[in-house]
Amino acid sequence: MYGSEEVHLAQKIEYEYSTDDLNFLPPGQNSYFKLPSVRTRKTILKIAIAAAFVLLCIVLAYLLLHRKHLDTTFTVINSNDTFSGLALHTPSNSNHLIKFNTFIKASYQPYSENIETILQEYWHEYVNNSHLEDCSVSGLHSKKENCIYWQQDLGSCIHLQNYGYAEGRPCILLSLELPENTLPFPYKKSNPVVKKYLTGIWSKDHVPVTCTGETEADTRYLITQDPIFNNSITYSPLKGYSLDFFPQLRSPHYRAPLLMVQFNTLQPGLTVHVRCRVWAIYKNATKAIKSVVKFRLHMN
């Protein structure tokens, strides 16, 4: 039998042996943990460098072969490139529902202030940038500079009238945001679509916008006869977006063209589902262009 002191000493030696550095274990017990030889490590390093070089050559070859495509697809000029197509400008928290009471200013103020903020950006761009061109006279745009957007083209949708909300004739702001080099074209006049939907507003140098109800019932509520207003819906500019604003040029001062849609004969207490569409064919488009926006109108 061993004494308690001998047992304690044996346990201490065993513990120190098990926790010692593996390099000091007896020969044959730490062979798994040995580092490769210097020669082996150099060989592995050479193989890794060669593999990385081959991979780099493959990537460069791909980029050179697809250079034209990449330049067209991924060139980003400004924030407008994050979205392509017909854009609805409403407060971010509106969830595409425009609900207001003509007698309560606070109910429609978020919508009118949102429009005001956007128009102020356009006005500041005009004041601070002398290089913008006046494209209001057809055929005089040199295509070397971006166009000035005149706010008087937005008809009766102005700040002094609260953009129509106080009168129960709300103005909805739409813009056409297209990537650089993308060109919109109107439908040919011989296209049956023109006769069916675009009578009176088709133009060879504009792409028009029309708005209707989502359903037949919505359309009946939206478009009604009125002794004061000849048109239930007014578009400003009437013919839509001028082609002079396209293509977008390489400039941080570019602003997409605007269009106001004013609903003149809304009936109170009803929610109307609205669908607006820009009638255009696109050239040089490298991604899908959104041509339709949907929203709801509710007036009390």
Side-chain angles (χ1 to χ4, degrees), residues 169-190:
R169 302 170 55 216
C171 296
I172 309 301
L173 184 62
L174 304 175
S175 65
L176 185 56
E177 315 274 350
L178 297 182
E180 183 191 359
N181 296 326
T182 300
L183 288 167
F185 288 95
Y187 283 72
K188 291 184 178 180
K189 196 172 184 179
S190 58

Side-chain angles (χ1 to χ4, degrees), residues 81-111:
D81 283 345
T82 61
F83 176 89
S84 293
L86 190 63
L88 170 68
H89 294 279
T90 55
S92 58
N93 61 350
S94 67
N95 196 26
H96 289 188
L97 171 62
I98 301 167
K99 185 176 182 179
F100 65 99
N101 188 314
T102 56
F103 299 103
I104 303 176
K105 185 175 182 179
S107 69
Y108 58 77
Q109 195 167 16
Y111 308 111

Side-chain angles (χ1 to χ4, degrees), residues 192-205:
V193 166
V194 174
K195 183 177 181 180
K196 186 174 182 179
Y197 299 106
L198 308 177
T199 301
I201 60 174
W202 181 89
S203 169
K204 65 179 181 180
D205 50 13

Side-chain angles (χ1 to χ4, degrees), residues 120-131:
Q120 284 293 332
E121 292 178 1
Y122 278 69
W123 172 250
H124 290 157
E125 199 63 67
Y126 162 63
V127 171
N128 298 323
N129 186 6
S130 60
H131 298 292

